[in-house]
Amino acid sequence: SFKVSAIGVFDSGVGGLTVAREIIRQLPGENIIYFGDTARVPYGIKSPQTVIRFSIENILFLLKHDVKLICVACNTASSFALPVIRNNFRVPIIGVITPGAREAVYASQNKRIGVIGTKGTIKSRTYETEIKQLDPKVKVTAVACPLFVPFVEEGWLSGEVVLSVARKYLKPLKDAGVDTVILGCTH
Ligand code: DGL
């Protein structure tokens, strides 16, 4: 029988469903196989070696389902694993850092861009590196927001606790006068 291979998408949890939704919106004719690693979430506080190992395992899982392309929806996996593994598989593997950086550089008027993400993503400085490559004059303010991850995985999307944590995390971005913020995390 004729089988059309799918686009594989993985994230450390449910957050990457927003990426899958956008792929479905832009490519409604494609089949999508989504893998959310809810058993091992969060990736954002794990070592680069662990995130790389998990990413390879997730890719091998998706390849078993005959995918023709893999989208790494997780910013942490895109930061740590993609540069190391992207050329080691027969399918194209794309991440989320370069498109986000590109959008932000186009959108910013005052050349001050904020980045929020996991501890891993911020520590890796991948967004900063990409942004500086596109425009060395941009000032980047990057803040890790690890508590957003359990909030989203628990379905806490509003309320007093979420708001006060958000205010605290985002204060440095306000102080830096950024006009554009990259939500560098699927959560
Ligand atoms: N999915 C991860 C990302 O986009 C965040 C959640 C986690 O820490 O696993 O960076």
Side-chain angles (χ1 to χ4, degrees):
S1 70
F2 180 70
K3 194 162 144 257
V4 182
S5 50
I7 294 174
V9 181
F10 81 85
D11 181 43
S12 59
V14 298
L17 285 169
T18 54
V19 178
R21 183 171 59 200
E22 185 59 23
I23 295 172
I24 292 165
R25 192 184 71 77
Q26 293 194 26
L27 301 167
E30 296 289 341
N31 294 319
I32 310 282
I33 296 175
Y34 182 86
F35 178 76
D37 196 1
T38 50
R40 302 188 292 193
V41 73
Y43 284 16
I45 51 169
K46 295 193 169 80
S47 71
Q49 290 71 23
T50 302
V51 174
I52 292 167
R53 179 164 61 82
F54 288 177
S55 299
I56 292 169
E57 287 165 2
N58 300 346
I59 289 166
L60 291 173
F61 172 83
L62 287 169
L63 286 174
K64 270 192 225 150
H65 294 269
D66 189 32
V67 295
K68 60 183 169 189
L69 179 142
I70 291 172
C71 174
V72 184
C74 179
N75 292 260
T76 312
S78 291
S79 294
F80 284 146
L82 203 55
V84 185
I85 59 175
R86 84 174 334 149
N87 296 321
N88 293 333
F89 294 91
R90 62 177 170 80
V91 295
I93 304 175
I94 56 171
V96 288
I97 309 297
T98 310
R102 203 176 285 156
E103 277 292 308
V105 170
Y106 285 139
S108 176
Q109 305 278 318
N110 72 1
K111 296 196 184 289
R112 291 180 198 179
I113 296 175
V115 181
I116 58 174
T118 63
K119 282 198 164 112
T121 300
I122 299 307
K123 231 173 142 183
S124 76
R125 301 172 79 109
T126 43
Y127 274 111
E128 222 165 316
T129 308
E130 289 279 346
I131 290 168
K132 296 276 185 197
Q133 250 164 44
L134 293 163
D135 185 346
K137 289 193 289 291
V138 172
K139 189 179 177 301
V140 179
T141 308
V143 183
C145 306
L147 288 176
F148 286 167
V149 179
F151 283 157
V152 172
E153 296 291 327
E154 283 294 314
W156 287 30
L157 305 180
S158 61
E160 225 176 281
V161 178
V162 174
L163 271 178
S164 76
V165 169
R167 262 189 219 108
K168 191 174 164 110
Y169 276 153
L170 301 180
K171 187 165 184 302
L173 302 187
K174 276 190 130 179
D175 293 347
V178 303
D179 70 350
T180 306
V181 177
I182 299 175
L183 177 54
C185 181
T186 54
H187 296 77

